[in-house]
């Protein structure tokens, strides 16, 4: 039996408390020994790393970074959750999306863990007339239905109301959302619908009067995320859209047919993207609730400002190549959505980028939430990230950045004016261009695509999905630049029976060349170029060669080896390492180089159109 000392377990009692300044001094010393002389006050910033949208992650967070006004769960400003009990009542709502009229798939989802349905209706989705058939086996008083019908929202809503009436569903048992989102539809299609907002207001009045558990409007931030926007821009656009809807819903006051502020707030549900950047996703959902609570407070209804959130795993992060890795991405994103406090979560199937998901992909998607809720018990903890100094500080910084973008949008005339003038699109495009540079240089790696690609993988084939609405903001994916390179390689393989090849010439011992040989092989495969190691250049079937070894070996042998490769027929000789001045070497590949530019130029030289 261990007996504790009288004063407790005082393991560090004889050591003085460390200070932040001491830590900075030690960091500055380490940096100095590595050749980076920085003042002690700047040592922390020297180790900081860039995040999405200009945010920075510092190497150390302390109690001074805690958010003093986070409040309590279920109370303004709702940072710690919109409900006092958190997600303890069975976890979050597992909401799966359906875009084709397949009642069997709908029923299978509901029988195996899905708790609500998100239906894409109208053009590019389920025909309005098929709603009855799609929902034929669904108990509508138990399974909430959320519509996403774009310009056909009014017709879809009327069909759903008629369905409730025919099935005898009590008005107070109806749950879900009619999905009216005219500004979101405009962002998707580029077409303004003058009747969209009045129709949405009419639906909201009907819900407020007759269906107390049914919301009429969605504030969908996915169009801005899918156009390449940062987390702050996504939040800012959602706030501007939400404010525009509040103005329309309350216009004229209750005597003039408008809703009260409390009623209007109760008609909105917000939809955000959840990405594999788990901490940024957690902070985004927490910041969104804080910002919306501030708007509700300014409108005079702080107690009604608990933002209802629907998180969807990001389409931007999904890849067509090596799609199995998407299971890992969506798992992290779902965990982040749950920890962040989303009431509903949609997990995109891992084959989302390829077309219509199959039964296995749907099963994995719904089971992702089931495992996190039922086996990991994630829903039993209220605000799991609360108290993390990093998350608290990130939430605060993201909230300020989003509020600034929201204010800029309002100064531009509001969300509708900002969309129609191109202001919003220009800023999203600038953000995506900056991120694309990081993706091209592999500073933001995409596993299975820009890092660790597998040229011999068997393609996963799916039936084409219905065409998504287009004409407005673009839809981007992280893998698109590398996907274009791989497509060129695939076409070359189909036409010639072989992929373009590069001979990797390993110089010196394995210890000297292994690291750069692995780097070069990984790099060239990301562009669909097959690396050939071992043997002679003449036997490789390649047109180009790349030298791989250590700097010391390069000094001794690079020029001679480059000359030998040229004599053997190599049209172009590159070297894996930082640029130098070796005779006979045409180009250099290294960590941080523009991989997309390098690979595109290589395919061009090889005649791969």
């Amino acid at each position: 039996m261990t007996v504790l000392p009288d004063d407790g377990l005082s393991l560090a009692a004889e050591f003085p408390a460390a200070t932040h300044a001491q830590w900075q001094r030690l960091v500055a010393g380490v940096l100095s020994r590595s050749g980076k002389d920085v003042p002690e006050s700047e040592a922390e910033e020297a180790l900081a790393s860039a995040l999405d949208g200009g945010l920075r992650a510092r190497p150390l967070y302390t109690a001074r970074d805690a958010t003093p006004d986070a409040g309590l769960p279920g109370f303004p400003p709702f940072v710690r959750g919109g409900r006092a009990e958190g997600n303890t009542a069975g976890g979050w709502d597992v909401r799966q999306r359906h875009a084709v009229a397949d009642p069997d798939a709908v029923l299978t989802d509901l029988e195996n863990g899905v708790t609500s349905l998100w239906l894409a209706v109208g053009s590019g989705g389920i025909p309005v007339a098929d709603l009855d058939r799609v929902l034929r086996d669904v108990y509508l008083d138990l399974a909430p239905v959320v519509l996403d019908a774009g310009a056909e929202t009014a017709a879809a809503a009327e069909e759903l109301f008629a369905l409730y009436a025919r099935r005898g569903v009590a008005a107070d048992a109806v749950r879900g959302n009619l999905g009216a989102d005219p500004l979101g539809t405009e962002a998707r299609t580029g077409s303004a619908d003058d009747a969209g907002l009045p129709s949405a207001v009419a639906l909201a009045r009907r819900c407020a009067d007759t269906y107390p558990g049914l919301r009429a409007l969605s504030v969908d931030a996915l169009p801005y995320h899918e156009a390449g926007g940062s987390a702050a821009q996504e939040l800012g656009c959602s706030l501007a859209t939400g404010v525009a809807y509040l103005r329309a819903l309350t216009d004229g006051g209750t005597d003039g047919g408008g809703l009260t502020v409390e009623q209007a707030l109760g008609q909105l549900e917000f939809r955000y993207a959840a990405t594999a950047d788990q901490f940024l996703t957690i902070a985004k959902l927490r910041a969104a609730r804080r910002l919306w609570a501030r708007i509700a407070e300014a409108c005079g209804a702080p107690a009604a400002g608990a933002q209802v959130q629907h998180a969807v795993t990001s389409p931007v992060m999904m890849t067509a190549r090596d799609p199995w890795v998407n299971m890992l991405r969506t798992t992290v994103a779902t965990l982040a959505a749950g920890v962040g406090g989303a009431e509903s979560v949609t997990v995109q199937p891992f084959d989302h980028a390829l077309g219509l998901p199959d039964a296995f992909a749907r099963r994995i998607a719904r089971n992702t939430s089931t495992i996190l809720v039922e086996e990991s018990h994630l829903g039993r903890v209220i605000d799991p990230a609360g108290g993390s100094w990093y998350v608290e500080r990130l939430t605060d910084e993201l909230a300020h950045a989003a509020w600034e973008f929201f204010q800029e949008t309002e100064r531009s005339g509001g969300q509708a004016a900002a969309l129609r003038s191109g202001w919003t699109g220009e800023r999203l495009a600038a953000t995506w261009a900056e991120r694309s540079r990081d993706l091209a240089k592999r500073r933001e790696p995409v596993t299975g695509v820009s890092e660790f690609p597998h040229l011999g993988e068997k393609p996963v084939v799916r039936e084409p999905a219905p065409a998504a609405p287009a004409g407005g903001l673009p839809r981007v994916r992280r893998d698109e630049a590398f996907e274009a390179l791989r497509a060129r390689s695939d076409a070359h393989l189909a036409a010639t029976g072989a992929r373009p090849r590069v001979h990797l010439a390993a110089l010196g011992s394995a210890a000297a060349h292994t690291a750069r040989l692995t780097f070069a092989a990984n790099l060239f495969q990301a562009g669909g170029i097959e690396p050939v190691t071992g043997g002679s250049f003449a036997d490789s079937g390649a047109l180009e060669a790349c030298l791989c070894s250590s700097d010391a070996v390069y000094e001794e042998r690079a020029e001679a080896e480059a000359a030998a490769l040229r004599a053997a027929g190599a049209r172009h000789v590159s070297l894996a390492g930082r640029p130098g001045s070796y005779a006979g070497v045409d180009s250099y590949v290294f960590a941080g180089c523009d991989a997309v530019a390098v690979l595109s130029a290589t395919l061009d030289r090889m005649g791969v159109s």
Side-chain angles (χ1 to χ4, degrees):
M1 176 178 180
T2 302
V3 180
L4 297 177
D6 293 338
D7 59 343
L9 190 61
S10 52
L11 297 178
E14 298 178 3
F15 296 92
T19 66
H20 190 245
Q22 288 175 321
W23 181 83
Q24 288 179 315
R25 190 177 307 117
L26 290 171
V27 170
V30 172
L31 291 175
S32 177
R33 288 193 292 275
S34 65
K36 298 179 181 179
D37 292 322
V38 297
E40 293 178 9
S41 59
E42 300 177 12
E44 208 163 346
E45 181 60 27
L47 294 180
S49 55
L51 296 177
D52 182 16
L55 301 175
R56 304 280 288 174
R58 301 199 314 272
L60 179 69
Y61 290 85
T62 64
R64 63 180 182 168
D65 296 300
T67 304
D69 58 347
L72 297 173
F75 294 89
F78 305 105
V79 175
R80 300 200 63 199
R83 298 181 296 177
E85 69 274 21
N87 285 327
T88 54
W92 54 84
D93 168 32
V94 181
R95 181 177 296 174
Q96 287 309 102
R97 187 173 188 270
H98 290 263
V100 295
D102 188 347
D104 293 332
V106 167
L107 185 61
T108 299
D109 272 354
L110 290 172
E111 289 177 336
N112 291 278
V114 167
T115 53
S116 70
L117 300 171
W118 180 21
L119 305 180
V121 181
S123 177
I126 300 167
V128 172
D130 282 352
L131 273 177
D132 192 0
R133 183 170 68 86
V134 170
L135 299 173
R136 69 187 182 195
D137 299 316
V138 177
Y139 291 100
L140 296 177
D141 54 342
L142 299 179
V145 174
V146 176
L147 299 179
D148 182 2
E152 298 183 53
T153 296
E158 289 299 333
E159 180 65 22
L160 191 61
F161 286 140
L163 191 55
Y164 288 138
R166 290 197 298 272
R167 302 269 186 95
V169 180
D172 58 0
V174 173
R175 298 288 185 273
N177 194 311
L178 300 178
D181 185 17
L183 289 178
T185 301
E186 183 173 345
R188 291 284 195 204
T189 64
S191 300
D193 182 5
D194 293 334
L197 194 53
S199 174
V201 172
L203 290 174
R205 290 173 182 158
R206 187 170 178 180
C207 290
D209 292 341
T210 309
Y211 300 94
L214 184 65
R215 296 173 186 264
L217 286 88
S218 292
V219 178
D220 191 354
L222 289 182
Y224 314 107
H225 170 77
E226 290 186 74
S230 67
Q233 290 170 331
E234 183 184 349
L235 289 179
C237 288
S238 75
L239 295 176
T241 301
V243 167
Y245 292 163
L246 282 182
R247 290 179 179 135
L249 291 171
T250 58
D251 186 32
T254 53
D255 293 337
L259 302 180
T260 66
V261 173
E262 289 82 359
Q263 287 176 320
L265 289 167
Q267 288 300 311
L268 302 179
E269 181 180 50
F270 289 73
R271 184 175 297 131
Y272 294 111
T275 73
D277 189 335
Q278 61 178 343
F279 291 113
L280 192 60
T281 296
I282 294 168
K284 179 168 67 176
L285 296 176
R286 298 172 92 246
R289 291 194 296 272
R290 173 181 170 183
L291 294 173
W292 191 243
R294 177 68 186 94
I295 289 173
E297 181 184 22
C299 293
Q307 187 183 79
V308 176
Q309 296 176 333
H310 172 204
V312 182
T313 56
S314 166
V316 177
M317 72 179 181
M318 305 294 271
T319 65
R321 305 280 174 171
D322 206 352
W324 316 103
V325 183
N326 290 329
M327 296 184 196
L328 305 180
R329 298 185 180 103
T330 54
T331 297
V332 175
T334 306
L335 181 146
V339 170
E343 281 82 4
S344 303
V345 179
T346 296
V347 181
Q348 301 279 18
F350 72 86
D351 52 3
H352 172 78
L354 297 168
L356 290 177
D358 66 1
F360 175 72
R362 284 198 170 280
R363 178 188 176 200
I364 294 298
R366 62 179 179 258
N367 283 354
T368 300
S369 282
T370 300
I371 290 171
L372 291 171
V373 171
E374 301 294 342
E375 294 189 19
S376 299
H377 305 296
L378 195 61
R380 295 188 179 185
V381 184
I382 299 175
D383 189 23
S388 162
W389 295 324
Y390 171 50
V391 174
E392 298 284 10
R393 180 62 178 266
L394 184 58
T395 299
D396 184 67
E397 292 177 349
L398 182 54
H400 280 87
W403 190 259
E404 182 178 352
F405 191 82
F406 162 61
Q407 289 180 314
E408 291 178 3
T409 304
E410 288 294 286
R411 285 193 292 268
S412 298
Q415 186 64 12
L419 278 171
R420 293 164 191 172
S421 68
W423 184 91
T424 300
E426 290 172 2
R427 276 145 186 80
L428 299 179
T431 299
W432 178 245
E434 182 178 350
R435 188 178 180 189
S436 294
R437 287 190 287 272
D438 288 340
L439 288 163
K441 295 181 178 182
R442 302 196 298 176
R443 291 172 181 163
E444 183 182 337
V446 182
T447 304
V449 178
S450 66
E451 296 283 357
F452 310 111
H454 178 36
L455 291 186
E457 70 171 302
K458 184 178 180 181
V460 178
V461 180
R462 294 288 184 266
E463 293 182 17
L473 296 173
R475 295 174 187 258
V476 300
R477 284 213 321 263
R478 293 195 309 159
D479 65 343
E480 59 187 17
F482 290 94
E483 174 64 26
L485 296 172
R486 293 285 293 274
R488 292 174 65 179
S489 173
D490 290 347
H492 188 77
L493 173 63
T496 67
R499 292 194 182 277
R501 295 180 176 181
V502 60
H503 176 66
L504 302 185
L507 309 182
S509 65
H513 65 64
T514 296
R516 280 176 171 160
L517 184 75
T518 302
F519 164 80
N522 193 24
L523 172 70
F524 285 112
Q525 287 181 94
I529 301 170
E530 181 182 350
V532 180
T533 58
S536 66
F537 176 82
D539 296 330
S540 67
L543 299 176
E544 299 191 3
C546 180
L547 300 174
C548 303
S549 194
S550 65
D551 292 341
V553 174
Y554 287 153
E555 290 295 330
E556 297 177 2
R557 300 176 53 184
E559 294 186 359
E561 294 290 343
L565 288 168
R566 286 190 176 281
R571 300 178 185 177
H572 187 97
V573 177
S574 56
L575 181 146
R578 286 289 171 182
S581 56
Y582 300 108
V585 174
D586 300 299
S587 62
Y588 298 82
V589 294
F590 51 91
C593 71
D594 189 330
V596 171
V598 167
L599 295 169
S600 182
T602 303
L603 291 174
D604 289 343
R605 291 192 303 269
M606 292 179 174
V608 179
S609 61

